[in-house]
Amino acid sequence: MSEFCGHCGERLDARDHTVCAVHLVMEPPRFCEDCHRRMKVQVTPTGWVAECVEHGTLTG
Amino acid sequence: MTDILQRATTKVLDNGEGLSFDELVEVLQLPDEQIPALLELAHAVRMKHCGPEVEVEGIISLKTGGCPEDCHFCSQSGQFSSPVRSVWLDIPQLVKAAEETAATGATEFCIVAAVRGPDERLMSQVRDGIKAIQEAVDINVACSLGMLTQEQVDDLASMGVHRYNHNLEAARSYFTNVVTTHTWEERWETCEMVREAGMELCCGGLVGMGESLEQRAELAAQLAELAPHEVPLNFLNPRPGTPFGDLPIMDSQDALRTIAAFRLAMPRTILRYAGGRELTLGDLGTRDGLLGGINAVIVGNYLTTLGRAADADIELLADLKMPIKELAKTL
Ligand code: SF4
Ligand SMILES: [Zn+2]
Ligand SMILES: [Zn+2]
């Protein structure tokens, strides 16, 4: 289960993240949902890759 | 028809001359009910002086984030607490991105780096990248690597860079509200060097950064004076953590007036939708802009944010009966 918001990096139970969810349609996540570290994110013409040093790689 | 639209018809549509600064201010002040007539004129100008073709481009970030400059709209500046981390793309990934771009029907692939200007490491990465792309993909390669020295301009031209992007970003009179780490004049100088070296110049800017209507007209007039081959038009997408992060999203009617004004300032240039159109204009507005002076698009994603699916844009162009410009074969 993810604990953190991929857009703002704050705890999911800390506040409402509805606006963050809207952002995440138009941009890749910047924070790891497991540990809230800032991820290395590469956007390509048809997708994106986001990497957390601890929790590996996400793609979209 | 209002007076300014009548004058614009004669001057721009009939005679192919761009509007002056004062005339552009009048265009930007037209009331909402005049927008359909304004867009219709801008579209007629584009069809007459450029034709129905649309130029399609894909862009890729070779070096993301950590830029020492402080452009207040930019999530890649290292001076703000933006969540964008610094990252480099390797050559195989770069070639793959070029292949994906070419598969959409695009003829331009622009390699972008978030830097003040290129250092030796970046120039060598670009040199290797362009060579690898040229061996694998049939597409024009463009670059956007910040401010250049004359030597770097010459190097890029000799690598076969087809077009170089360097934006003015804002009107001269508004520039210091947007950037403090370099000057508008430095940007202008790089643009002139690029053009003199024989590369096509791509130079545009952003609107919706808190500038006045006059300053929007000023940017259009200054671009017209520079006469770039292509003008990318961005609408501010307020990025979290940047000084412009809390600015409102630009009004869609203002955005459409701006598109038409830019076309009436520069009847023959390639006028490209760049960042922010999804947010400012949505699907309907995107269509209105393509019928109001725009004749080029960026397909797929941007540098740090996502765009519409490439298919959606390609379908829209087919629907509007606007053919995608093909690669000019030099024999
Ligand atoms: S120079 Fe380019 S990458 Fe750097 S802050 Fe300005 S716009 Fe962003
Ligand atoms: Zn959030
Ligand atoms: Zn993690």
Side-chain angles (χ1 to χ4, degrees), chain A residues 19 22-27, chain B residues 234-240 244-245 247-253 255 273-286 302 305-308:
Chain A
V19 177
V22 174
H23 277 286
L24 286 173
V25 177
M26 296 299 293
E27 53 197 282
Chain B
N234 295 271
F235 307 101
L236 179 74
N237 176 351
R239 304 314 304 151
F244 289 168
L247 285 184
I249 291 167
M250 190 179 183
D251 173 67
S252 63
Q253 301 303 297
Y273 263 143
R277 71 169 148 120
E278 292 79 2
L279 211 58
T280 302
L281 289 167
D283 287 355
L284 254 183
T286 290
Y302 299 106
T305 60
L306 311 179
R308 289 182 6 137

Side-chain angles (χ1 to χ4, degrees), chain B residues 100-168:
Chain B
E100 289 171 358
T101 299
T104 66
T107 52
E108 298 283 322
F109 179 66
C110 187
I111 302 170
V112 186
V115 290
R116 175 182 170 89
D119 57 12
E120 210 14 76
R121 176 188 176 194
L122 179 60
M123 285 298 278
S124 112
Q125 185 85 346
V126 167
R127 190 175 297 113
D128 296 346
I130 291 178
K131 195 159 172 279
I133 292 168
Q134 285 168 344
E135 281 165 9
V137 194
D138 209 9
I139 198 160
N140 288 326
V141 178
C143 286
S144 180
L145 314 171
M147 289 179 278
L148 302 175
T149 63
Q150 185 63 55
E151 198 186 339
Q152 289 168 333
V153 170
D154 297 340
D155 274 0
L156 291 168
S158 73
M159 288 176 210
V161 172
H162 169 247
R163 193 178 290 170
Y164 192 81
N165 164 263
H166 196 55
N167 291 339
L168 291 181

Side-chain angles (χ1 to χ4, degrees), chain A residues 5-10 12 15-17 20-21:
Chain A
C5 170
H7 180 68
C8 71
E10 289 181 35
L12 285 177
R15 62 183 184 91
D16 181 38
H17 294 274
C20 297

